[in-house]
């Protein structure tokens, strides 16, 4: 069953010149429980695609939007951002920027409280999310004292506590050290076991071999490859005439 579907989605930011697009004619489907990796060169449209998936486009970012994005069969344009938050959870590239409170426990509970979840259920959700994110030992810590990897895991827990069926990660390896990257990849394995649909935007493709089966490659704001994550695909993409010298996942 399709959990997420884009139908010929194009988007141009309000500040972009006429004729330039952030995303061009993208169609795709993501099934229930699937794990999808999205990659491509800088400026290819990866983050713009993620913003379409979580509804920030067109709800938050102004511009020209065409096509349809559907989450669980409902168009994002017809859902409020509050309703979208119960369907799609996003951990942004700079996880620290989405942390709003002073303590770990308060941060994990923030979204649950804003959804109006009853206290008993809310506490249960938060405890479960912290266990899954591996941050039980951080419960009493101040957010300001955490490392980059620890802050990322707190952000993951705060999203998990709201129990959205779809999880989005924007460049999760870009702001963490090697240990933090290793911990995230281990976390991804645990999250897959929950049955969530997971979509990761990341340039370091080779880290995901054995964890993700499907790769979506963007170039020039459009999809140029949608298929298995395999060495043969990476070699072909790295030699595209449109981007000479780009080696997928080299860094």
């Amino acid at each position: 069953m399709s959990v997420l579907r884009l139908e010929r989605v194009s988007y141009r930011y309000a500040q972009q010149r006429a004729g330039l697009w952030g995303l061009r004619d993208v169609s795709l489907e993501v099934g229930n429980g699937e794990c999808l990796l999205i990659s491509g060169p800088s400026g290819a449209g990866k983050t713009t695609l993620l913003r379409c998936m979580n509804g920030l486009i067109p709800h938050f970012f102004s511009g020209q939007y065409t096509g349809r994005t559907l989450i669980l069969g409902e168009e994002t344009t017809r859902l409020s951002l509050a309703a979208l938050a119960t369907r799609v959870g996003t951990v942004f590239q700079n996880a620290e920027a989405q942390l709003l409170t002073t303590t770990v426990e308060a941060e994990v509970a923030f979204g649950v409280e804003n959804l109006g979840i009853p206290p008993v259920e809310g506490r249960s959700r938060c405890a479960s999310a912290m266990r899954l994110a591996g941050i039980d030992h951080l419960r009493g810590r101040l957010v300001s004292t955490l490392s980059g990897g620890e802050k990322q895991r707190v952000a993951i827990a705060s999203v998990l506590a709201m129990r959205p069926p779809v999880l989005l990660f924007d460049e999760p390896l870009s702001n963490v050290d090697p240990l933090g990257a290793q911990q995230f990849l281990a976390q991804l394995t645990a999250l897959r076991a929950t049955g969530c649909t997971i979509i990761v935007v990341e340039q370091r493709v080779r880290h995901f071999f054995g964890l993700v089966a499907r790769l979506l490659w963007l170039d020039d704001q459009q999809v140029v490859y949608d298929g298995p994550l395999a060495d043969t695909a990476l070699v072909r993409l790295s030699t595209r005439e449109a981007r000479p010298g780009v080696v997928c996942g080299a860094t």
Side-chain angles (χ1 to χ4, degrees):
M1 182 184 70
S2 174
V3 173
L4 173 68
R5 186 165 78 249
L6 278 74
E7 299 175 352
R8 304 201 66 177
V9 170
S10 295
Y11 180 73
R12 182 173 65 86
Y13 289 96
Q15 67 270 27
Q16 285 184 298
R17 301 194 311 272
L20 296 180
W21 292 85
L23 208 62
R24 297 192 293 142
D25 198 28
V26 171
S27 296
L28 67 95
E29 290 193 33
V30 184
N32 185 32
E34 188 173 0
C35 190
L36 171 68
L37 178 64
I38 299 174
S39 195
S42 297
K46 302 184 296 295
T47 295
T48 301
L49 177 57
L50 182 145
R51 289 169 177 170
C52 289
M53 291 176 169
N54 62 20
L56 289 178
I57 292 174
H59 285 288
F60 183 79
F61 293 94
S62 59
Q64 182 179 348
Y65 173 87
T66 61
R68 298 199 308 163
T69 302
L70 298 97
I71 298 289
L72 301 176
E74 295 188 76
E75 287 190 54
T76 56
T77 53
R78 298 181 180 180
L79 295 167
S80 66
L81 283 174
L84 283 164
T86 66
R87 292 165 169 80
V88 185
T90 306
V91 178
F92 295 98
Q93 180 175 357
N94 181 9
E96 184 175 5
Q98 72 185 92
L99 303 180
L100 303 172
T101 65
T102 57
T103 68
V104 168
E105 197 164 17
E107 187 62 43
V108 176
F110 184 83
V112 171
E113 292 172 350
N114 276 274
L115 291 176
I117 304 298
V120 173
E121 181 183 351
R123 286 192 292 271
S124 175
R125 286 191 181 199
C126 290
S128 176
M130 285 191 284
R131 283 195 301 272
L132 186 57
I135 60 167
D136 268 333
H137 63 295
L138 302 178
R139 182 185 297 269
R141 291 275 298 276
L142 293 174
V143 171
S144 60
T145 67
L146 303 179
S147 68
E150 289 170 337
K151 288 175 181 176
Q152 183 183 71
R153 281 185 284 159
V154 171
I156 291 172
S158 68
V159 169
L160 290 175
M162 294 187 282
R163 296 189 176 173
V166 180
L167 298 175
L168 307 180
F169 295 91
D170 188 11
E171 303 276 4
L173 304 184
S174 64
N175 288 321
V176 295
D177 59 19
L179 176 60
Q182 183 179 6
Q183 290 172 337
F184 172 79
L185 294 170
Q187 189 70 53
L188 187 63
T189 300
L191 292 175
R192 289 189 62 187
T194 68
C196 287
T197 299
I198 301 171
I199 299 171
V200 181
V201 172
E202 179 58 63
Q203 294 197 42
R204 302 180 183 187
V205 174
R206 295 191 182 277
H207 288 74
F208 294 85
F209 272 90
L211 296 175
V212 178
R214 179 183 173 193
L215 171 67
L216 188 82
W217 184 267
L218 294 180
D219 199 352
D220 197 23
Q221 294 75 52
Q222 57 190 329
V223 176
V224 298
Y225 176 83
D226 184 355
L229 173 55
D231 274 318
T232 52
L234 301 189
V235 169
R236 181 151 54 91
L237 291 167
S238 70
T239 56
R240 279 176 52 83
E241 292 182 4
R243 288 290 190 274
V246 173
V247 179
C248 172
T251 60

